[in-house]
């Protein structure tokens, strides 16, 4: 029981980060109908910015604190996201969708290969921005491990999620963003500056990716130039499962992905004997496929994701 | 606003298409409700009504593009309400769309040839091997396509991409493309929308010509009252998804319900206002 | 009244084309290895095999407008099937021992190899069919994502299937894919793609891409056409995968990953989405690129200039997309019709130029 509770907790804390990253995919898709393949790599940049910011801070005797480092990463990533949009996506605004998709893949490859070229392919240790204390009372009494850092990550993720939801729901910018994602042409005619909204969306989404990168780095204690692929793909799946373009959907999708993955990874299912040895499906071997299995199942049952609006084409 | 029995036309003896208490709901909205309609073989039947009356939905129901909520649709006595659109087309129903749906990126010629292709008379093996049968059938298809384009004045555009045509010619091409499937029943959804007076005249001539030449039955949705009144043998008027009147042009023109339905929304039935 | 083509002419052309194509296959199979410097041969062979796979993908992505990012998986299924037959069944039938270079030394062995390539294609087509039935009702991006997911699942499953080599994949596949084999395979693929594209099935694919609802209303059974397109496309990719496996000598689960699928998509898109000619040229170019970049070690200054090849590759990718006038025009094909037309154009232009001078 405690074991599964433990897995559930781990799943939720992983899911929160995935949700954070998924938001970037979903928002960009909402306004631009573009799958921003480079999103995961922006996350990687965010993690490395945190590493260098921490080094720099330590060098100048500034305390290496999470609340100081994370905004730096977020700001840097926001700027990067805006720059990418301006250079690589904006010129293709009216091109076939396939063209922008491939450009996005190009940007992703570019960030990864520059990272490998300049930083080396190896893993970099991620600085401990938070204390690694665990809550002893729970650990001693129930063998249930909860780390302070996990709690802080979880809490700040939730904070960001709530903040974002507030921005989308209540601000002028959020209203404009929703208008653009429903109908860019109509929004433009109503006086919404579509380009500004798109820039803002990229800034916001990329900042969240930056935050996600810092948290991912802290959670796994390391960063490398290809680290964005895995969370990127998972978050992307989460966004689609939730109904891409739908903000609450992305959050739910993120939690589903996080929990499903940790729970399945904890399983091993014996499926019988063959050729004299036990055949066991080891869950953790299939964790990468699991997300896609969920994805395909959800798409087959609800072709626009769990919360997506299904609009049959009007004749 | 139930249908008024006093305005029912005489029962159609030789019906090409029959709709019986056909309904279609979108959520709570009844786009079409309990519609009965029969279209006589060889006639031009008009379907009119204010915007949002459910006319296009009727077309979608007949062609299978939208599933029926209830009711039955029979084509030459055969139930087609449950069939897929392509199967319905193969039984002889072709249509045009209110918002023109040409294959914009390919040539005018290819648009028409593609439409006729299921009648090509050869299978994919022939296509793969391209022996004599293939060339024979392709030659026939090519000839049918060229004849159609020649006859209706689009031959000089044959190689241009369909999307590059002027609006009026796009409308005409869409009709030709539908004709290429050799339908018995042709459904035209607002064919004169966006055309000027002389283009509309040409369209009317075209419609009468194809009616004769291809032994068609035509069901047409149109807002241009001059065209509807001159062309149609019978007119059905829809409002809010229900039939409010049916009869010959003169009867419909003078029907108080029709006048109310149109005037109540600021539209007009009067041809002189066009 | 009706025009009837002359059977003698039809079959005359047919035989002429067959002769020409055999010549082309022979030119690829025996000519190229003779004239091309050896160090270009390996990269070019890869490029030509990629052309087969990309031609398969071109059917769905280019002609039918169905966006698949899962074709590396279909190629992989073909590769594992054909490779499996050659490494597991072949040795029993023909005594291909481990370690010793297997050769296609008997007609029976050659037939077996062809059959295993075909089997790879068939299994891949079957997968295409099975994947197609449920996923093809998804639209646009969602279909792309679902096919991507299918590919990743296949990769992970192979990763965990010990009997197929697990993450290390399949090794010791005999290297049967020589230039003559490539020549024949590529020419056959071209014939299939060209003939499909110029007959009713190909027109249905294009109608599907242009407007599904209109196509359906014109009597085209779009669902069936989609599934057929997917199966055909996957089948051709599967045959290409089998060729690739017998060229490389090994095949690994990573070769099924979506990153590889994206490379194939790139070939189709750069080739002008739908154009057979463009796809072949783009596939050969992109397929040769990595191999040729290795050659750059011969010129250290150039290598320094280019620095890191992945960086260059990605920048090229972005720039190529931004400057789309560099692309092949979609729909253009190198065909006899085109040659005749352009010859006529040229003659007209020449005569016009001469006209006023004479007059
Ligand atoms: N696919 C659909 N989903 C929801 N509502 C629809 C759909 N198609 C039509 N409607 C609604 O049905 C009603 C009739 O539409 P339509 O048949 O297009 O009218 P008309 O062609 O007479 O102008 C309208 O209120 C329209 O909004
Ligand atoms: Mg309408």
């Amino acid at each position: 029981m405690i074991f599964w509770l433990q897995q559930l907790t781990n799943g939720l804390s992983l899911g929160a980060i995935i949700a954070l990253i998924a938001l970037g995919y979903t928002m960009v898709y909402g306004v631009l109908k573009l799958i921003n393949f480079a999103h995961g790599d922006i996350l990687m940049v965010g993690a490395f910015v945190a590493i260098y910011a921490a080094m720099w801070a330590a060098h100048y005797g500034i305390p290496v604190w999470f609340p100081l480092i994370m905004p730096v990463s977020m700001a840097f990533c926001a700027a990067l996201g805006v720059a990418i949009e301006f250079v690589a996506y904006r010129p293709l605004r009216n091109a076939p969708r396939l063209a922008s998709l491939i450009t996005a893949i190009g940007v992703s490859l570019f960030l990864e290969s520059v990272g490998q070229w300049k930083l080396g392919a190896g893993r970099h240790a991620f600085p401990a921005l938070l204390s690694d204390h665990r809550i002893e009372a729970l650990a001693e009494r129930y063998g249930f491990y909860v780390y302070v850092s996990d709690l802080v990550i979880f809490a700040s993720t939730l904070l960001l999620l709530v903040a974002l939801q507030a921005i989308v729901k209540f601000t002028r910018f959020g209203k404009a963003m929703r208008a653009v994602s429903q109908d860019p042409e109509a929004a433009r005619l109503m006086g919404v500056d579509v380009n500004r909204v798109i820039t803002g969306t990229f800034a916001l989404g990329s900042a969240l990716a930056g935050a996600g990168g810092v948290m991912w780095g802290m959670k796994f204690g390391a960063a490398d130039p290809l680290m964005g692929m895995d969370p990127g793909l998972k978050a992307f799946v989460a966004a689609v499962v939730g109904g891409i373009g739908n903000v609450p959907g992305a959050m739910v999708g993120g939690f589903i992905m996080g929990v499903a993955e940790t729970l399945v990874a904890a399983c091993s299912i014996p499926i019988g004997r063959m050729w004299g040895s036990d055949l066991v499906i080891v869950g953790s071997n299939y964790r990468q496929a699991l997300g896609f299995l969920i994805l395909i199942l959800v798409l087959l049952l609800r072709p626009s994701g769990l919360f997506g609006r299904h609009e049959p084409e009007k004749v | 606003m139930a249908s008024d029995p006093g305005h029912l036309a005489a029962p159609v003896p030789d019906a090409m298409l029959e709709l019986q208490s056909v309904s279609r709901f979108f959520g709570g909205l009844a786009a079409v409700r309990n519609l009965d309609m029969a279209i006589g073989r060889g006639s031009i039947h008009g379907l009119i009504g204010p915007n949002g009356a459910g006319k296009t939905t009727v077309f979608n129901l007949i062609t299978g593009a939208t599933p029926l909520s209830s009711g039955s649709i029979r084509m030459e006595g055969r139930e087609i309400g449950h069939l897929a659109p392509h199967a319905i087309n193969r039984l002889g129903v072709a249509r045009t769309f209110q918002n023109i749906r040409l294959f914009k990126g390919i040539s005018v010629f290819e648009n028409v040839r593609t439409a006729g292709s299921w009648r090509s008379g050869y299978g994919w093996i022939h296509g793969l091997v391209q022996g004599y049968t293939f060339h024979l059938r392709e030659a026939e298809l090519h000839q049918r396509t060229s004849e159609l384009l020649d006859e209706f004045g689009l031959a000089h555009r044959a190689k241009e991409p369909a999307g590059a045509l002027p609006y009026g010619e796009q409308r005409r091409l869409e009709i030709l493309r539908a004709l290429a499937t050799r339908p018995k029943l042709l459904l035209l959804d607002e064919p004169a929308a966006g055309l000027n007076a002389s283009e509309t005249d040409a369209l009317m001539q075209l419609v009468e010509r194809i009616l004769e030449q291809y032994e068609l039955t035509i069901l047409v949705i149109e807002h241009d009252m001059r065209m509807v009144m001159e062309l149609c043998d019978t007119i059905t008027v829809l409002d809010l998804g229900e039939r409010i009147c049916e009869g010959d042009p003169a009867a419909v023109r003078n029907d108080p319900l029709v006048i109310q339905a149109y005037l109540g929304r600021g539209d007009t039935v009067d041809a002189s206002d066009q | 009244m009706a025009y009837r083509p002359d059977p003698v002419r039809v079959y005359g052309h047919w035989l002429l084309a067959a002769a020409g194509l055999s010549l082309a296959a022979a030119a690829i199979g025996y000519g190229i290895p003779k004239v091309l410097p050896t160090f270009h041969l390996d990269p070019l062979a890869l490029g030509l095999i990629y052309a087969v796979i990309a031609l398969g993908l071109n059917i769905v992505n280019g002609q039918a407008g169905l966006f698949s990012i899962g074709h590396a998986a279909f190629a992989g299924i073909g590769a594992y099937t054909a490779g499996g037959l050659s490494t597991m069944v072949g040795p029993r039938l023909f005594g291909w021992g481990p370690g010793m270079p297997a050769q296609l030394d008997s007609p029976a062995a050659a037939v077996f190899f062809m059959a295993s390539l075909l089997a790879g294609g068939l299994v891949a087509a079957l997968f295409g069919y099975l994947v197609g039935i449920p996923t093809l009702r998804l639209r646009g991006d969602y279909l792309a994502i679902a096919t991507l997911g299918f590919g990743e699942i296949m990769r992970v499953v192979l990763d965990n299937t010990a009997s197929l080599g697990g993450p290390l994949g399949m090794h010791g596949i005999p290297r049967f894919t020589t230039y003559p084999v490539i020549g024949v395979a590529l020419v056959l693929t071209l014939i299939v793609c060209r003939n499909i594209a110029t007959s009713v099935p190909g027109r249905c694919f294009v109608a599907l891409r242009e407007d599904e609802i209109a196509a359906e209303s014109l009597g085209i059974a779009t669902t069936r056409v989609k599934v057929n397109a997917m199966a055909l496309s996957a089948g051709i990719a599967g045959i290409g995968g089998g060729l690739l496996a017998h060229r490389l000598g090994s095949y690994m689960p990573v070769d099924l990953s979506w990153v590889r699928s994206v490379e194939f998509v790139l070939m189709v898109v750069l080739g002008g989405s739908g154009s057979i000619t463009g796809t072949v040229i783009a596939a050969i170019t992109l397929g040769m690129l990595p191999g040729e970049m290795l050659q750059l070690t011969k010129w250290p200054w150039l290598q320094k200039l280019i620095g890191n090849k992945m960086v260059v590759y990605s920048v090229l990718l972005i720039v190529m997309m931004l400057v789309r006038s560099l692309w092949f025009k979609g729909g253009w094909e190198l065909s006899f019709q085109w040659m005749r037309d352009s010859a006529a154009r040229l003659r007209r232009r020449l005569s016009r130029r001469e006209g006023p001078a004479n007059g």
Side-chain angles (χ1 to χ4, degrees):
Chain A
M1 189 59 217
I2 285 290
F3 174 76
W4 291 110
L5 207 60
Q6 178 83 59
Q7 297 304 328
L8 191 67
T9 324
N10 295 350
L12 285 176
S13 80
L14 186 69
I17 307 181
I18 294 179
L20 203 56
I21 307 163
L23 284 173
Y25 278 113
T26 247
M27 289 193 301
V28 167
Y29 190 90
V31 294
L32 221 50
K33 302 287 171 283
L34 167 78
I35 299 173
N36 183 12
F37 263 87
H39 195 63
D41 302 292
I42 294 177
L43 170 154
M44 173 271 290
V45 172
F48 275 100
V49 168
I51 292 180
Y52 283 96
M55 260 155 60
W56 185 81
H59 186 259
Y60 288 100
I62 303 169
V64 184
W65 282 345
F66 174 67
L68 286 182
I69 301 293
M70 197 162 82
V72 176
S73 268
M74 289 175 69
F76 190 94
C77 287
L80 179 66
V82 171
I84 290 174
E85 193 273 326
F86 192 78
V87 174
Y89 301 153
R90 187 159 297 190
L92 290 171
R93 200 62 66 71
N94 297 316
R97 298 269 288 283
L98 209 54
S100 5
L101 194 73
I102 289 183
T103 315
I105 291 168
V107 172
S108 163
L109 282 178
F110 177 76
L111 291 176
E112 284 169 15
S113 54
V114 167
Q116 286 184 314
W117 180 26
K118 290 293 173 197
L119 303 165
R123 290 159 72 84
H124 296 234
F126 202 86
L129 301 179
L130 291 168
S131 78
D132 54 356
H133 285 303
R134 63 181 187 211
I135 300 176
E136 288 300 338
L138 283 175
E140 273 169 24
R141 196 168 312 156
Y142 303 109
F144 185 55
Y145 296 92
V146 178
Y147 290 89
V148 173
S149 60
D150 270 344
L151 282 182
V152 175
I153 291 176
F154 191 67
S156 32
T157 308
L158 285 188
L159 203 69
L160 285 171
L161 291 180
V162 171
L164 182 87
Q165 186 67 351
I167 290 178
V168 172
K169 267 249 147 66
F170 301 119
T171 63
R172 263 181 82 85
F173 170 75
K175 217 178 258 175
M177 203 171 99
R178 280 181 289 152
V180 171
S181 68
Q182 280 205 348
D183 187 341
E185 191 49 35
R188 193 181 62 77
L189 292 174
M190 303 303 284
V192 175
D193 185 342
V194 174
N195 276 335
R196 270 237 315 262
V197 169
I198 291 173
T199 305
T201 307
F202 266 89
L204 210 55
S206 306
L208 292 182
V214 177
M215 300 195 190
W216 200 269
M218 285 197 300
K219 196 164 174 60
F220 297 99
D224 68 274
L226 298 183
M227 71 180 279
M229 287 177 97
D230 185 47
L233 218 50
K234 277 174 191 147
F236 169 55
V237 170
V240 179
V241 164
I244 196 156
N246 183 303
V247 169
M251 299 185 193
V252 175
F255 282 109
I256 291 179
M257 287 294 294
V259 171
E261 178 173 320
T262 2
L263 291 188
V264 167
C267 294
S268 53
I269 309 160
I271 53 170
R273 290 176 66 84
M274 203 160 112
W275 295 322
S277 61
D278 288 314
L279 274 186
V280 178
I281 292 186
V282 181
S284 57
N285 289 347
Y286 287 90
R287 64 199 305 173
Q288 278 170 307
L290 172 81
F292 286 107
L293 207 63
I294 295 178
L295 172 85
I296 289 178
L297 287 180
V298 167
L299 284 186
L300 291 184
L301 297 176
R302 290 192 54 95
S304 319
L306 291 178
F307 297 88
R309 272 172 304 145
H310 182 60
E311 294 170 3
E313 200 175 345
K314 234 178 152 181
V315 181
Chain B
M1 230 183 276
S3 59
D4 181 346
H7 296 280
L8 280 183
V12 180
D14 181 20
M16 172 65 72
L17 187 81
E18 281 173 293
L19 277 68
Q20 263 176 15
S21 53
V22 162
S23 300
R24 169 71 215 197
F25 299 94
F26 291 110
L29 172 87
V32 176
R33 188 201 297 266
N34 265 336
L35 179 67
D36 292 312
M37 196 162 80
I39 297 158
R41 191 181 291 276
S43 67
I44 299 188
H45 194 120
L47 185 59
I48 65 172
N51 274 325
K55 307 179 296 293
T56 299
T57 306
V58 170
F59 270 25
N60 290 342
L61 292 172
I62 296 173
T63 56
T66 303
L68 282 171
S69 294
S70 66
S72 107
I73 301 178
R74 280 201 301 277
M75 170 79 188
E76 298 188 301
R78 204 186 141 167
E79 176 66 43
I80 58 168
H82 57 283
L83 293 179
H86 70 267
I88 293 175
N89 174 262
R90 290 176 184 206
L91 288 176
V93 182
R95 73 176 291 183
T96 65
F97 295 87
Q98 185 173 348
N99 47 339
I100 309 178
R101 301 191 82 119
L102 288 170
F103 303 135
K104 290 206 167 65
I106 59 179
S107 71
V108 168
F109 189 86
E110 280 298 326
N111 264 272
V112 178
R113 178 156 72 173
T114 305
S117 67
W118 67 264
R119 284 185 176 280
S120 63
Y122 69 86
W124 62 272
I125 302 238
H126 286 116
L128 211 54
V129 180
Q130 305 210 341
Y132 186 70
T133 315
F134 167 81
H135 283 277
L136 181 63
R137 299 278 174 257
E138 274 293 302
E140 288 166 2
L141 186 59
H142 192 281
Q143 194 174 6
R144 283 204 297 272
T145 307
S146 314
E147 276 172 10
L148 210 53
L149 289 174
D150 270 341
E151 227 171 302
F152 297 101
L154 280 176
H156 63 295
R157 299 281 199 188
K159 286 191 172 170
E160 288 178 40
L165 257 52
Y167 194 75
E169 290 187 337
Q170 290 199 11
R171 285 253 177 237
R172 185 143 34 112
L173 174 58
E174 210 191 10
I175 297 177
L176 294 195
R177 191 182 63 172
L179 277 183
T181 65
R182 305 245 201 109
K184 298 171 192 158
L185 173 66
L186 180 63
L187 311 179
L188 302 173
D189 198 343
E190 303 199 12
L195 303 190
N196 62 31
S198 67
E199 282 173 327
T200 306
D201 283 338
L203 174 73
M204 282 162 62
Q205 279 170 12
L206 174 84
V207 170
E208 289 191 319
R209 198 165 132 211
I210 57 178
L211 184 78
E212 293 289 308
Q213 199 167 334
Y214 294 91
E215 297 174 354
L216 284 175
T217 303
I218 293 178
L219 175 61
V220 55
I221 297 177
E222 188 46 68
H223 280 306
D224 184 332
M225 284 306 145
R226 186 171 60 96
M227 176 165 168
V228 175
M229 294 298 161
E230 277 184 33
L231 219 50
C232 297
D233 307 313
T234 315
I235 297 171
T236 301
V237 189
L238 282 188
D239 188 28
L240 301 173
E242 295 191 65
R243 187 179 71 180
I244 56 170
C245 167
E246 187 170 87
D248 60 27
V252 165
R253 190 200 299 265
N254 297 320
D255 190 292
L257 278 176
V258 176
I259 294 170
Q260 188 200 337
Y262 272 85
L263 291 185
R265 288 176 184 75
D267 283 341
T268 175
V269 196
D270 198 332
S272 61
D273 266 20
Q274 280 301 317
Chain C
M1 180 204 96
Y3 160 77
R4 290 181 78 82
D6 175 9
V8 177
R9 271 188 64 136
V10 167
Y11 283 111
H13 278 164
W14 202 94
L15 286 177
L16 216 63
L21 289 164
S22 313
L23 220 63
I28 297 175
Y30 298 99
I32 289 181
K34 284 238 163 60
V35 293
L36 208 65
T38 335
F39 54 85
H40 291 307
L41 283 180
D42 268 331
L44 180 63
L46 285 189
L48 293 169
I49 298 172
Y50 286 151
V52 173
I53 301 175
L55 279 172
L57 182 62
N58 183 46
I59 290 174
V60 285
N61 273 23
Q63 290 171 351
L66 304 166
F67 191 12
S68 158
I69 324 187
H71 264 57
F74 292 125
I77 290 168
Y80 269 80
T81 308
L85 287 171
S86 288
T87 50
M88 294 173 196
V89 181
R92 298 195 190 166
L93 290 180
F94 303 101
W96 299 331
M100 72 186 201
Q103 300 232 317
L104 285 178
D105 42 13
S106 68
V111 169
F112 176 76
F113 173 50
M114 272 196 300
S116 50
L117 285 181
L118 273 184
L122 281 178
V123 175
L126 185 71
F127 270 88
Y129 199 78
L130 293 179
V131 172
I133 289 171
T135 57
L136 285 173
R137 46 192 196 99
L138 301 172
R139 274 177 211 287
D141 294 345
Y142 285 99
L143 175 62
I145 298 160
T147 49
L148 186 155
F150 157 73
E152 286 299 289
I153 291 174
M154 286 307 299
R155 178 179 68 77
V156 173
V157 167
L158 284 177
D159 242 342
N160 289 294
T161 308
S163 54
L164 291 175
L168 295 179
M170 198 169 266
H171 284 273
I173 304 168
R175 295 173 192 254
F176 290 153
T177 309
T178 53
Y179 260 86
V181 172
I182 296 176
V184 172
L186 182 59
V187 166
L188 283 178
T189 310
L190 277 171
I191 294 173
V192 169
C193 290
R194 183 259 176 203
N195 285 4
I196 291 280
T198 55
S199 61
V200 164
R203 284 181 211 138
C204 291
F205 294 162
V206 172
L208 202 63
R209 176 189 73 199
E210 292 288 319
D211 191 325
E212 201 178 320
I213 289 175
E216 180 79 24
S217 85
L218 295 166
I220 296 170
T222 50
T223 311
R224 218 182 58 213
V225 171
K226 276 185 195 177
V227 178
N228 287 351
M230 198 70 173
L232 177 66
S233 165
I236 294 176
I239 291 177
L243 289 169
L244 197 55
H246 288 85
R247 178 81 196 177
L248 300 173
S250 65
Y251 218 85
M252 285 176 272
V254 262
D255 293 327
L256 277 74
S257 72
W258 66 274
V259 183
R260 299 303 304 277
S261 294
V262 166
E263 284 176 24
F264 296 128
V265 172
L266 200 60
M267 293 167 190
V268 172
V269 172
L270 286 180
S273 274
S275 161
I276 293 175
T277 318
T279 300
V280 171
I281 295 176
I284 292 177
T285 315
L286 287 185
M288 286 181 75
L289 215 57
E292 292 292 333
M293 274 186 170
L294 286 181
Q295 310 284 341
L296 291 181
T297 42
K298 292 210 184 66
W299 298 289
W301 58 271
L302 193 57
Q303 211 186 15
K304 193 171 280 170
L305 191 75
I306 290 184
N308 184 303
K309 76 171 197 229
M310 274 317 285
V311 177
V312 177
Y313 183 75
S314 58
V315 170
L316 268 180
L317 200 65
I318 298 169
V319 170
M320 278 192 286
M321 286 298 130
L322 293 180
V323 193
R324 281 177 307 140
S325 52
L326 290 180
W327 295 11
F328 272 87
K329 221 172 112 211
W332 178 81
E333 295 291 359
L334 177 65
S335 63
F336 289 115
Q337 186 65 46
W338 177 80
M339 286 185 218
R340 271 197 297 273
D341 287 354
S342 24
R345 241 192 328 271
L346 197 67
R347 237 177 329 205
R348 262 203 310 279
R349 192 168 304 164
L350 287 179
S351 65
R352 209 178 311 143
R353 199 166 294 162
E354 279 164 15
N358 292 349

